[in-house]
Amino acid sequence: MAVLLHTRVRVGDLDRSIDWYTRHLGFEVASRTDKSPAGNHVAHLVLPGNEHTNEHTIEFTWSPDYDLKVPDDLMHFAIGVEDLISYCDKLEKDGLEIWPADWRESFPAGRKMAFIDDPDGYEIELLERN
């Protein structure tokens, strides 16, 4: 049986991305190297609590000769949280912008969701898990 091991994401500043994802979203650094076979700087981050997908990591990759430009709506991560409002309240206290602006009112019934952007402009969808 095949398993999903990691997803590679190019970043504009490896240290900045590691700091942002660990500080705001609770990721942990699983490994880091400053010289991959291709000459990239690479860090693998994991999100604790992924009991069923604990082998999957996000691979952040940076190299000095790569000019990162993230187009709008290129891709996004989805992260499930138990209580979306309290989770987003913490992010707002940390200075992050939650969107859309009316996210608190936009889900009177059904699945609750909101979005944030990481420092490079990648979207992160936050979903309340039922």
Side-chain angles (χ1 to χ4, degrees):
M1 172 173 70
V3 295
L4 182 63
L5 298 177
H6 67 266
T7 302
R8 175 186 243 182
V9 177
R10 285 273 181 183
V11 296
D13 181 314
L14 188 61
D15 290 326
R16 177 187 67 190
S17 292
I18 290 171
D19 176 66
W20 193 89
Y21 277 82
T22 56
R23 187 165 33 101
H24 296 300
L25 301 178
F27 279 81
E28 296 175 354
V29 177
S31 67
R32 181 174 179 165
T33 180
D34 287 333
K35 183 104 178 180
S36 73
N40 296 309
H41 298 249
V42 177
H44 285 261
L45 277 67
V46 297
L47 189 58
N50 286 349
E51 295 85 17
H52 302 293
T53 59
N54 59 3
E55 293 185 45
H56 185 262
T57 64
I58 296 175
E59 177 189 293
F60 288 138
T61 302
W62 176 81
S63 59
D65 60 344
Y66 188 86
D67 186 24
L68 180 69
K69 290 183 174 76
V70 178
D72 288 341
D73 205 23
L74 171 68
M75 59 163 284
H76 72 264
F77 301 111
I79 297 175
V81 300
E82 289 188 28
D83 180 346
L84 183 69
I85 290 177
S86 67
Y87 192 85
C88 289
D89 283 345
K90 179 197 171 299
L91 295 176
E92 285 181 324
K93 286 178 185 167
D94 287 348
L96 300 182
E97 180 182 348
I98 313 295
W99 56 275
D102 67 342
W103 67 271
R104 291 176 193 269
E105 294 81 34
S106 63
F107 48 74
R111 194 161 204 189
K112 298 175 184 171
M113 71 174 67
F115 293 86
I116 56 176
D117 292 327
D118 85 354
D120 290 308
Y122 291 111
E123 296 175 4
I124 300 169
E125 182 177 5
L126 304 170
L127 294 170
E128 186 167 279
R129 298 178 64 191
N130 298 344

